[in-house]
Amino acid sequence: MVYQPLGTTNNEQVYVYNGDQKSPLPGKRGLAKTTRVVSSVTTTNAKHATLTLTTTKYTYQNQLAKVLFAIPGTKLATTQQVAHFTVPKSWLVLSSKQATRLKQATANPANQAALKTQATAYVTAHVQSELKALAAKAQAGDQAAQAQLANQAQLTQSLTAQYQRAFTRQALLKLSSH
């Protein structure tokens, strides 16, 4: 997910995301005129990203107050809208500058070759150390470790995927920060 900081203090941000076209999206279709818009991002173990919009509006205490204070032809103003993004841990939340730098860095063939070499070394080292640790536990009589080692091909594949995701995340963060 990408955000664009507003102003110089970086306190306000505009988030860019691809949502369901049928649901009300923030922007021209979804957000009313407000006095305050707040957004927040939370990282979770969820598999899918979600967006929760909460709107706070002025209301009249009763019908008499509405009759006395309502101006004909006007609607109640929205006072605050909160957009809360919940994203999986596998997602990166980058500023637009970081995303641009990342795109430029990954487009470079020299960087691609270096990343591939680093990724292979990182994944191989971690998978081997993990397998050695499991073998030591299995020799010590750990039943769970013995069960995992029994299906070594599946174990190697899952560990490889796990460390590839970890390396990719680290590399992307490193590239986007330069």
Side-chain angles (χ1 to χ4, degrees), residues 63-147:
Q63 191 63 29
L64 178 62
K66 185 176 182 178
V67 170
L68 292 175
F69 299 109
I71 300 171
T74 61
K75 295 181 180 178
L76 292 177
T78 300
T79 59
Q80 177 179 344
Q81 284 195 310
V82 178
H84 183 77
F85 295 93
T86 304
V87 296
K89 286 185 179 180
S90 60
W91 283 32
L92 292 176
V93 180
L94 302 172
S95 71
S96 57
K97 287 182 183 179
Q98 288 175 317
T100 303
R101 286 194 301 257
L102 179 62
K103 184 177 179 181
Q104 291 169 349
T106 55
N108 184 348
N111 281 348
Q112 289 176 354
L115 281 174
K116 187 173 183 176
T117 304
Q118 290 172 1
T120 304
Y122 178 89
V123 169
T124 303
H126 280 82
V127 168
Q128 287 176 352
S129 68
E130 192 80 28
L131 288 173
K132 284 179 186 177
L134 278 172
K137 286 181 181 180
Q139 282 183 337
D142 187 348
Q143 297 294 328
Q146 289 174 357

Coordinates of all heavy atoms in Angstrom, one line a residue, residues 63-147:
Q63 N -36.8 16.2 18.1 CA -37.5 16.8 17.0 C -37.7 18.3 17.2 O -37.6 19.1 16.2 CB -38.9 16.1 16.8 CG -39.6 16.4 15.6 CD -38.9 16.0 14.3 OE1 -38.1 15.0 14.3 NE2 -39.0 16.7 13.2
L64 N -37.9 18.8 18.4 CA -38.1 20.2 18.7 C -36.8 21.0 18.3 O -36.9 22.0 17.6 CB -38.4 20.4 20.1 CG -38.6 21.9 20.5 CD1 -39.7 22.6 19.8 CD2 -38.8 22.1 22.0
A65 N -35.6 20.4 18.7 CA -34.4 21.1 18.3 C -34.2 21.1 16.8 O -33.7 22.1 16.3 CB -33.2 20.3 19.0
K66 N -34.6 20.0 16.2 CA -34.5 20.0 14.7 C -35.4 21.1 14.1 O -34.9 21.8 13.2 CB -34.9 18.6 14.2 CG -34.7 18.4 12.7 CD -35.1 17.0 12.3 CE -34.8 16.8 10.8 NZ -35.1 15.5 10.4
V67 N -36.6 21.3 14.6 CA -37.5 22.3 14.0 C -37.0 23.7 14.3 O -37.0 24.5 13.4 CB -38.9 22.1 14.6 CG1 -39.8 23.3 14.2 CG2 -39.5 20.8 14.1
L68 N -36.4 23.9 15.5 CA -35.9 25.2 15.9 C -34.6 25.6 15.2 O -34.5 26.8 14.8 CB -35.8 25.3 17.4 CG -37.1 25.3 18.2 CD1 -36.7 25.2 19.7 CD2 -37.9 26.5 17.9
F69 N -33.7 24.7 15.0 CA -32.4 25.0 14.6 C -32.0 24.6 13.2 O -31.0 25.0 12.6 CB -31.3 24.4 15.6 CG -31.5 25.0 16.9 CD1 -32.0 24.2 18.0 CD2 -31.2 26.3 17.2 CE1 -32.1 24.7 19.2 CE2 -31.3 26.8 18.5 CZ -31.8 26.0 19.5
A70 N -32.8 23.8 12.5 CA -32.5 23.3 11.2 C -32.8 24.5 10.2 O -33.8 25.2 10.3 CB -33.4 22.1 10.8
I71 N -31.9 24.6 9.3 CA -32.0 25.5 8.2 C -32.6 24.8 7.0 O -32.1 23.7 6.6 CB -30.7 26.2 7.8 CG1 -30.1 26.9 9.0 CG2 -30.8 27.1 6.6 CD1 -28.6 27.3 8.8
P72 N -33.7 25.2 6.5 CA -34.4 24.5 5.4 C -33.4 24.3 4.2 O -32.6 25.1 3.8 CB -35.5 25.4 5.0 CG -35.8 26.3 6.2 CD -34.4 26.4 6.8
G73 N -33.4 23.1 3.7 CA -32.7 22.7 2.5 C -31.2 22.3 2.8 O -30.5 22.0 1.9
T74 N -30.8 22.3 4.1 CA -29.5 21.8 4.4 C -29.5 20.4 5.0 O -30.5 20.1 5.6 CB -28.8 22.8 5.4 OG1 -29.5 22.8 6.6 CG2 -28.7 24.2 4.8
K75 N -28.4 19.8 4.9 CA -28.3 18.4 5.5 C -27.3 18.6 6.7 O -26.6 19.5 6.8 CB -27.7 17.4 4.5 CG -28.6 17.2 3.4 CD -28.0 16.2 2.4 CE -28.9 15.9 1.3 NZ -28.3 14.9 0.3
L76 N -27.4 17.6 7.6 CA -26.5 17.6 8.7 C -25.0 17.4 8.2 O -24.8 16.6 7.3 CB -26.8 16.4 9.7 CG -28.1 16.6 10.5 CD1 -28.3 15.4 11.3 CD2 -28.0 17.9 11.3
A77 N -24.1 18.1 8.7 CA -22.7 18.0 8.3 C -22.0 16.8 9.0 O -22.3 16.5 10.1 CB -22.0 19.3 8.7
T78 N -21.2 16.2 8.2 CA -20.3 15.2 8.7 C -19.2 15.8 9.5 O -18.5 16.7 9.0 CB -19.8 14.3 7.6 OG1 -20.9 13.7 6.9 CG2 -18.9 13.2 8.1
T79 N -18.9 15.4 10.7 CA -17.9 16.0 11.5 C -16.6 15.3 11.4 O -15.5 15.9 11.5 CB -18.3 16.1 13.0 OG1 -18.5 14.8 13.5 CG2 -19.5 17.0 13.2
Q80 N -16.6 14.0 11.3 CA -15.4 13.2 11.3 C -15.6 11.9 10.5 O -16.6 11.3 10.6 CB -14.9 12.9 12.7 CG -13.7 12.0 12.7 CD -13.2 11.8 14.1 OE1 -13.6 12.4 15.1 NE2 -12.3 10.8 14.3
Q81 N -14.6 11.5 9.7 CA -14.6 10.2 9.1 C -13.2 9.6 9.4 O -12.2 10.2 9.3 CB -14.8 10.3 7.6 CG -16.3 10.6 7.3 CD -16.6 10.3 5.8 OE1 -15.9 10.8 5.0 NE2 -17.7 9.6 5.6
V82 N -13.3 8.3 9.8 CA -12.1 7.5 10.1 C -12.0 6.4 9.1 O -12.9 5.6 8.9 CB -12.1 7.0 11.5 CG1 -10.9 6.1 11.8 CG2 -12.3 8.1 12.5
A83 N -10.9 6.3 8.4 CA -10.6 5.2 7.5 C -9.5 4.4 8.2 O -8.4 4.8 8.4 CB -10.1 5.7 6.2
H84 N -9.9 3.1 8.6 CA -8.9 2.3 9.3 C -8.6 1.1 8.3 O -9.4 0.3 8.0 CB -9.5 1.7 10.6 CG -8.5 0.9 11.3 ND1 -7.5 1.4 12.0 CD2 -8.4 -0.4 11.4 CE1 -6.8 0.5 12.6 NE2 -7.3 -0.7 12.2
F85 N -7.3 1.0 7.9 CA -6.8 0.0 7.1 C -6.2 -1.1 7.9 O -5.4 -0.8 8.8 CB -5.7 0.5 6.1 CG -6.2 1.5 5.1 CD1 -6.1 2.9 5.4 CD2 -6.7 1.1 3.9 CE1 -6.6 3.8 4.5 CE2 -7.2 2.0 3.0 CZ -7.1 3.4 3.3
T86 N -6.6 -2.4 7.6 CA -5.9 -3.5 8.3 C -5.3 -4.3 7.2 O -5.9 -4.8 6.2 CB -7.0 -4.4 9.0 OG1 -7.7 -3.6 9.9 CG2 -6.3 -5.5 9.7
V87 N -3.9 -4.4 7.2 CA -3.2 -5.0 6.1 C -2.4 -6.2 6.7 O -2.0 -6.2 7.8 CB -2.2 -4.0 5.5 CG1 -3.0 -2.9 4.8 CG2 -1.2 -3.5 6.4
P88 N -2.2 -7.2 5.8 CA -1.4 -8.4 6.3 C 0.0 -8.0 6.5 O 0.5 -7.0 5.9 CB -1.5 -9.4 5.1 CG -2.7 -8.9 4.2 CD -2.8 -7.4 4.5
K89 N 0.7 -8.8 7.3 CA 2.2 -8.6 7.5 C 3.0 -8.7 6.2 O 4.1 -8.1 6.1 CB 2.7 -9.5 8.5 CG 2.2 -9.2 9.9 CD 2.9 -10.2 10.9 CE 2.4 -9.8 12.4 NZ 3.0 -10.7 13.4
S90 N 2.5 -9.4 5.3 CA 3.2 -9.5 4.0 C 3.2 -8.3 3.2 O 4.0 -8.1 2.2 CB 2.6 -10.7 3.2 OG 1.3 -10.5 2.9
W91 N 2.3 -7.3 3.5 CA 2.3 -6.1 2.7 C 3.3 -5.1 3.2 O 3.6 -5.0 4.4 CB 0.9 -5.4 2.9 CG -0.2 -6.1 2.1 CD1 -0.3 -7.4 1.7 CD2 -1.3 -5.4 1.5 NE1 -1.4 -7.6 1.0 CE2 -2.1 -6.4 0.9 CE3 -1.8 -4.1 1.6 CZ2 -3.3 -6.1 0.2 CZ3 -3.0 -3.8 0.9 CH2 -3.7 -4.8 0.3
L92 N 3.8 -4.2 2.4 CA 4.6 -3.1 2.7 C 3.8 -1.9 2.6 O 3.0 -1.7 1.7 CB 5.8 -3.0 1.8 CG 6.9 -4.1 1.9 CD1 7.9 -3.8 0.8 CD2 7.5 -4.1 3.3
V93 N 3.9 -1.0 3.6 CA 3.3 0.3 3.5 C 4.4 1.3 3.3 O 5.2 1.6 4.1 CB 2.5 0.6 4.8 CG1 1.8 2.0 4.7 CG2 1.5 -0.4 5.1
L94 N 4.4 1.9 2.0 CA 5.5 2.7 1.6 C 5.0 4.1 1.2 O 3.9 4.2 0.8 CB 6.2 2.1 0.4 CG 6.8 0.8 0.5 CD1 7.3 0.3 -0.9 CD2 7.9 0.8 1.5
S95 N 5.8 5.1 1.4 CA 5.5 6.4 0.9 C 5.7 6.4 -0.6 O 6.3 5.5 -1.2 CB 6.4 7.5 1.5 OG 7.7 7.4 1.0
S96 N 5.1 7.4 -1.3 CA 5.2 7.4 -2.7 C 6.6 7.6 -3.2 O 7.0 7.0 -4.2 CB 4.3 8.6 -3.3 OG 4.7 9.8 -2.7
K97 N 7.5 8.3 -2.4 CA 8.9 8.5 -2.8 C 9.6 7.1 -2.6 O 10.4 6.8 -3.5 CB 9.6 9.5 -1.8 CG 9.2 10.9 -2.1 CD 9.9 11.9 -1.2 CE 9.5 13.3 -1.5 NZ 10.1 14.3 -0.6
Q98 N 9.3 6.4 -1.6 CA 9.9 5.1 -1.4 C 9.5 4.1 -2.5 O 10.3 3.3 -3.0 CB 9.5 4.4 0.0 CG 10.1 5.1 1.2 CD 9.6 4.5 2.5 OE1 8.4 4.3 2.6 NE2 10.5 4.3 3.4
A99 N 8.2 4.2 -2.9 CA 7.8 3.3 -4.0 C 8.4 3.6 -5.3 O 8.8 2.7 -6.1 CB 6.2 3.4 -4.1
T100 N 8.7 4.9 -5.6 CA 9.4 5.3 -6.8 C 10.8 4.8 -6.8 O 11.3 4.3 -7.8 CB 9.3 6.9 -6.9 OG1 8.0 7.3 -6.9 CG2 10.0 7.3 -8.2
R101 N 11.5 5.0 -5.6 CA 12.9 4.5 -5.5 C 12.9 3.0 -5.6 O 13.9 2.5 -6.3 CB 13.5 5.0 -4.2 CG 13.8 6.4 -4.1 CD 14.7 6.7 -2.9 NE 14.1 6.4 -1.7 CZ 13.6 7.2 -0.8 NH1 13.6 8.5 -1.1 NH2 13.1 6.8 0.3
L102 N 12.0 2.3 -5.1 CA 11.9 0.9 -5.2 C 11.8 0.4 -6.6 O 12.4 -0.5 -7.1 CB 10.8 0.3 -4.3 CG 10.6 -1.2 -4.3 CD1 11.8 -1.9 -3.8 CD2 9.4 -1.5 -3.5
K103 N 10.9 1.1 -7.3 CA 10.7 0.7 -8.7 C 11.9 0.9 -9.6 O 12.3 0.1 -10.4 CB 9.5 1.6 -9.3 CG 9.1 1.3 -10.7 CD 8.0 2.1 -11.2 CE 7.6 1.8 -12.6 NZ 6.5 2.6 -13.1
Q104 N 12.6 2.1 -9.3 CA 13.9 2.3 -10.0 C 15.0 1.3 -9.7 O 15.7 0.8 -10.6 CB 14.4 3.8 -9.7 CG 13.5 4.8 -10.3 CD 13.8 6.2 -9.7 OE1 14.6 6.3 -8.8 NE2 13.2 7.2 -10.3
A105 N 15.1 1.0 -8.4 CA 16.1 0.0 -8.0 C 15.9 -1.4 -8.5 O 16.8 -2.1 -8.9 CB 16.2 0.0 -6.5
T106 N 14.6 -1.8 -8.6 CA 14.3 -3.1 -9.0 C 14.4 -3.2 -10.6 O 14.5 -4.3 -11.1 CB 12.9 -3.6 -8.6 OG1 11.9 -2.7 -8.9 CG2 13.0 -3.8 -7.1
A107 N 14.3 -2.1 -11.3 CA 14.3 -2.1 -12.7 C 15.8 -2.3 -13.2 O 16.0 -2.7 -14.3 CB 13.8 -0.9 -13.3
N108 N 16.8 -2.0 -12.4 CA 18.2 -2.1 -12.7 C 18.6 -3.6 -12.8 O 18.5 -4.3 -11.8 CB 19.0 -1.3 -11.7 CG 20.5 -1.3 -12.0 OD1 20.9 -2.0 -12.9 ND2 21.2 -0.5 -11.2
P109 N 19.1 -4.1 -13.9 CA 19.5 -5.5 -14.1 C 20.6 -5.9 -13.1 O 20.6 -7.0 -12.6 CB 20.0 -5.6 -15.5 CG 19.3 -4.5 -16.2 CD 19.2 -3.4 -15.2
A110 N 21.5 -5.0 -12.8 CA 22.6 -5.3 -11.8 C 22.0 -5.5 -10.5 O 22.5 -6.5 -9.8 CB 23.6 -4.1 -11.8
N111 N 21.0 -4.7 -10.0 CA 20.4 -4.9 -8.8 C 19.6 -6.2 -8.7 O 19.6 -6.9 -7.7 CB 19.4 -3.8 -8.4 CG 20.1 -2.6 -7.9 OD1 21.3 -2.6 -7.5 ND2 19.4 -1.4 -7.8
Q112 N 19.0 -6.6 -9.8 CA 18.2 -7.8 -9.9 C 19.2 -9.0 -9.7 O 18.8 -10.0 -9.0 CB 17.5 -7.9 -11.2 CG 16.3 -7.0 -11.4 CD 15.6 -7.1 -12.7 OE1 16.1 -7.7 -13.6 NE2 14.5 -6.4 -12.9
A113 N 20.3 -9.0 -10.4 CA 21.3 -10.1 -10.3 C 21.8 -10.2 -8.8 O 21.9 -11.3 -8.3 CB 22.4 -9.9 -11.3
A114 N 22.1 -9.1 -8.3 CA 22.7 -9.0 -6.9 C 21.6 -9.5 -5.9 O 22.0 -10.3 -5.0 CB 23.1 -7.6 -6.5
L115 N 20.4 -9.1 -6.1 CA 19.3 -9.6 -5.2 C 19.1 -11.1 -5.3 O 18.9 -11.8 -4.3 CB 18.0 -8.8 -5.5 CG 17.9 -7.4 -4.9 CD1 16.6 -6.8 -5.4 CD2 17.9 -7.5 -3.4
K116 N 19.2 -11.6 -6.5 CA 19.0 -13.0 -6.7 C 20.1 -13.8 -6.0 O 19.8 -14.8 -5.3 CB 18.9 -13.4 -8.2 CG 18.6 -14.8 -8.5 CD 18.4 -15.0 -10.0 CE 17.9 -16.4 -10.2 NZ 17.6 -16.7 -11.6
T117 N 21.3 -13.4 -6.1 CA 22.4 -14.0 -5.5 C 22.3 -14.0 -4.0 O 22.5 -15.0 -3.3 CB 23.8 -13.4 -5.9 OG1 23.8 -13.4 -7.3 CG2 25.0 -14.1 -5.3
Q118 N 22.0 -12.8 -3.4 CA 21.8 -12.6 -2.0 C 20.6 -13.5 -1.5 O 20.7 -14.1 -0.4 CB 21.5 -11.1 -1.7 CG 22.7 -10.2 -1.8 CD 22.4 -8.8 -1.7 OE1 21.2 -8.4 -1.4 NE2 23.3 -7.9 -1.9
A119 N 19.5 -13.5 -2.2 CA 18.4 -14.3 -1.8 C 18.7 -15.8 -1.8 O 18.3 -16.4 -0.8 CB 17.2 -14.0 -2.8
T120 N 19.4 -16.3 -2.8 CA 19.8 -17.7 -2.8 C 20.7 -18.0 -1.6 O 20.4 -19.0 -0.9 CB 20.5 -18.0 -4.1 OG1 19.7 -17.7 -5.2 CG2 20.9 -19.5 -4.1
A121 N 21.7 -17.2 -1.3 CA 22.5 -17.4 -0.1 C 21.8 -17.3 1.2 O 22.0 -18.2 2.1 CB 23.7 -16.4 -0.2
Y122 N 20.9 -16.3 1.3 CA 20.1 -16.2 2.5 C 19.2 -17.3 2.8 O 19.2 -17.9 3.9 CB 19.3 -14.9 2.4 CG 18.4 -14.5 3.6 CD1 18.9 -13.8 4.7 CD2 17.1 -15.0 3.6 CE1 18.1 -13.5 5.7 CE2 16.3 -14.7 4.7 CZ 16.8 -13.9 5.7 OH 16.0 -13.6 6.8
V123 N 18.5 -17.7 1.8 CA 17.5 -18.8 1.9 C 18.2 -20.1 2.2 O 17.8 -20.9 3.1 CB 16.6 -18.9 0.7 CG1 15.8 -20.2 0.7 CG2 15.7 -17.7 0.6
T124 N 19.3 -20.4 1.5 CA 20.0 -21.7 1.7 C 20.6 -21.7 3.1 O 20.5 -22.8 3.7 CB 21.2 -21.8 0.6 OG1 20.6 -21.7 -0.7 CG2 21.9 -23.1 0.7
A125 N 21.2 -20.7 3.5 CA 21.8 -20.7 4.9 C 20.8 -20.9 5.9 O 20.9 -21.7 6.9 CB 22.6 -19.4 5.1
H126 N 19.6 -20.2 5.8 CA 18.6 -20.3 6.9 C 17.9 -21.7 6.8 O 17.6 -22.3 7.9 CB 17.6 -19.2 6.7 CG 18.0 -17.9 7.3 ND1 18.8 -17.1 6.7 CD2 17.8 -17.4 8.6 CE1 19.1 -16.0 7.5 NE2 18.5 -16.2 8.6
V127 N 17.7 -22.2 5.6 CA 17.0 -23.6 5.5 C 18.0 -24.6 6.1 O 17.5 -25.5 6.8 CB 16.6 -23.9 4.1 CG1 16.3 -25.3 3.9 CG2 15.5 -23.0 3.6
Q128 N 19.2 -24.6 5.8 CA 20.2 -25.5 6.3 C 20.3 -25.5 7.8 O 20.3 -26.5 8.5 CB 21.6 -25.3 5.7 CG 21.6 -25.8 4.2 CD 23.0 -25.5 3.6 OE1 23.8 -24.8 4.1 NE2 23.2 -26.0 2.3
S129 N 20.4 -24.3 8.4 CA 20.5 -24.1 9.8 C 19.2 -24.6 10.5 O 19.2 -25.3 11.6 CB 20.8 -22.7 10.2 OG 19.7 -21.9 9.9
E130 N 18.0 -24.4 9.9 CA 16.8 -24.9 10.4 C 16.7 -26.4 10.4 O 16.3 -27.0 11.3 CB 15.6 -24.3 9.6 CG 14.3 -24.4 10.2 CD 13.9 -23.4 11.3 OE1 14.5 -22.3 11.3 OE2 13.1 -23.8 12.2
L131 N 17.2 -27.0 9.3 CA 17.2 -28.5 9.2 C 18.1 -29.1 10.2 O 17.8 -30.1 10.8 CB 17.6 -28.9 7.8 CG 16.5 -28.6 6.7 CD1 17.0 -28.9 5.3 CD2 15.3 -29.5 7.0
K132 N 19.3 -28.4 10.4 CA 20.3 -29.0 11.4 C 19.7 -28.9 12.8 O 19.8 -29.8 13.6 CB 21.6 -28.1 11.4 CG 22.4 -28.5 10.2 CD 23.7 -27.6 10.2 CE 24.5 -27.9 8.9 NZ 25.7 -27.0 8.9
A133 N 19.0 -27.8 13.1 CA 18.4 -27.6 14.4 C 17.3 -28.7 14.6 O 17.2 -29.3 15.7 CB 17.8 -26.3 14.6
L134 N 16.5 -29.0 13.6 CA 15.5 -30.0 13.7 C 16.1 -31.4 13.8 O 15.6 -32.2 14.6 CB 14.5 -30.0 12.5 CG 13.4 -28.9 12.5 CD1 12.7 -28.9 11.2 CD2 12.4 -29.2 13.6
A135 N 17.2 -31.7 13.1 CA 17.9 -33.0 13.2 C 18.4 -33.2 14.6 O 18.3 -34.3 15.2 CB 19.0 -33.0 12.2
A136 N 18.9 -32.1 15.2 CA 19.4 -32.2 16.6 C 18.3 -32.5 17.6 O 18.4 -33.3 18.5 CB 20.2 -30.9 17.0
K137 N 17.2 -31.8 17.4 CA 16.0 -32.1 18.3 C 15.5 -33.5 18.1 O 15.1 -34.2 19.0 CB 14.9 -31.1 18.0 CG 15.1 -29.7 18.5 CD 14.0 -28.8 18.1 CE 14.2 -27.4 18.6 NZ 13.0 -26.5 18.3
A138 N 15.5 -34.0 16.8 CA 15.0 -35.3 16.6 C 15.9 -36.4 17.2 O 15.4 -37.4 17.7 CB 14.9 -35.6 15.0
Q139 N 17.2 -36.1 17.2 CA 18.1 -37.1 17.8 C 17.9 -37.1 19.4 O 18.2 -38.1 20.0 CB 19.6 -36.7 17.5 CG 20.0 -37.2 16.1 CD 21.4 -36.9 15.8 OE1 22.0 -36.0 16.4 NE2 22.0 -37.7 14.9
A140 N 17.5 -35.9 19.9 CA 17.3 -35.8 21.3 C 16.0 -36.5 21.7 O 15.7 -36.5 22.9 CB 17.3 -34.4 21.8
G141 N 15.2 -36.9 20.8 CA 14.0 -37.6 21.1 C 12.7 -36.8 20.9 O 11.6 -37.2 21.3
D142 N 12.8 -35.6 20.3 CA 11.6 -34.7 20.1 C 10.7 -35.3 19.0 O 11.1 -35.4 17.9 CB 12.1 -33.3 19.8 CG 10.9 -32.3 19.7 OD1 9.7 -32.8 19.7 OD2 11.2 -31.1 19.6
Q143 N 9.5 -35.8 19.4 CA 8.6 -36.4 18.5 C 8.2 -35.5 17.3 O 8.0 -35.9 16.2 CB 7.4 -37.0 19.2 CG 7.7 -38.1 20.2 CD 8.3 -39.3 19.6 OE1 7.9 -39.7 18.5 NE2 9.2 -40.0 20.2
A144 N 7.9 -34.2 17.7 CA 7.4 -33.3 16.7 C 8.5 -33.0 15.6 O 8.2 -32.9 14.4 CB 7.1 -32.0 17.4
A145 N 9.8 -32.9 16.1 CA 10.9 -32.7 15.1 C 11.1 -33.9 14.2 O 11.3 -33.8 13.0 CB 12.2 -32.4 15.9
Q146 N 10.9 -35.1 14.8 CA 11.0 -36.3 14.0 C 9.9 -36.4 12.9 O 10.1 -36.8 11.8 CB 10.9 -37.6 14.9 CG 12.1 -37.8 15.8 CD 12.0 -38.9 16.7 OE1 10.9 -39.6 16.8 NE2 13.0 -39.2 17.5
A147 N 8.7 -36.0 13.3 CA 7.6 -36.0 12.4 C 7.9 -35.0 11.2 O 7.5 -35.2 10.1 CB 6.3 -35.6 13.1

